[in-house]
Amino acid sequence: MQIKKYSLCYGDRVLAQDFEVDFFNHVINVLTGANGAGKTTLLDFIAGVGPKQAKGQKINVPKQQNIAYQLQHIHFFPTLSVGQTINMYRQIGNRSLEKSGSTFQTIKRQALDKIWSVKMGQLSGGERQMVLTYGQCLLEKELYIFDEPTSGVDVTNSKVILKMIASLVQEREKLVIMTSHNIEQLADLPVKMINIG
Ligand SMILES: Nc1ncnc2c1ncn2[C@@H]1O[C@H](COP(=O)(O)OP(=O)(O)OP(=O)(O)O)[C@@H](O)[C@H]1O
């Protein structure tokens, strides 16, 4: 998948000018860069929800209905329990993953079962991020986009989240793009770093 001639200007402010980038299967494509560099805006453009000022060519980008896009600050139904939330994802996702995929079975047992009946609104930010990443990974899409999935998440839960994201490329051969400011967390994972300035 490629983005070519990506340009974005807000008035006199040029955020990107003819930027080109390739994204690859079999690795987690990690966008890095300073605050305000335009990482989220590029994700928005790829997902088809970008600012109308953004221009560029999308080559082999899946249709919007085949993209799972997890936003940076996710809000979900706070009165639903973790179990109810996961069940919602199961209904629109791939249930067999939890049956066959040992990664998901293990993560559910180790990290989700103990909070299964807690309401989403009562979870800590890191726990909520973990639950929603689990749900996103149950979806059956071609492209998965995660905007700072481990932001504000502790070391243990970050490992769980990154394990789920890595399973998308390693076990299911999906195309994955994420952003991160925590490069050291990614040391043992199959990643391609893409710095956008
Ligand atoms: N309407 C606008 N006019 C001017 N600048 C804008 C407008 N909308 C967004 N911006 C700027 O575009 C930049 C891109 O923001 P974006 O969220 O994509 O950055 P980011 O790389 O994801 O940053 P972070 O690491 O902080 O999440 C920001 O500096 C923002 O101030």
Side-chain angles (χ1 to χ4, degrees), residues 10 13 15 33-42 53 72 148 181:
Y10 290 115
R13 186 167 174 209
L15 223 68
N35 292 136
K39 300 179 294 298
T40 301
T41 316
L42 178 58
Q53 296 94 331
Q72 191 173 350
E148 296 197 33
H181 287 288

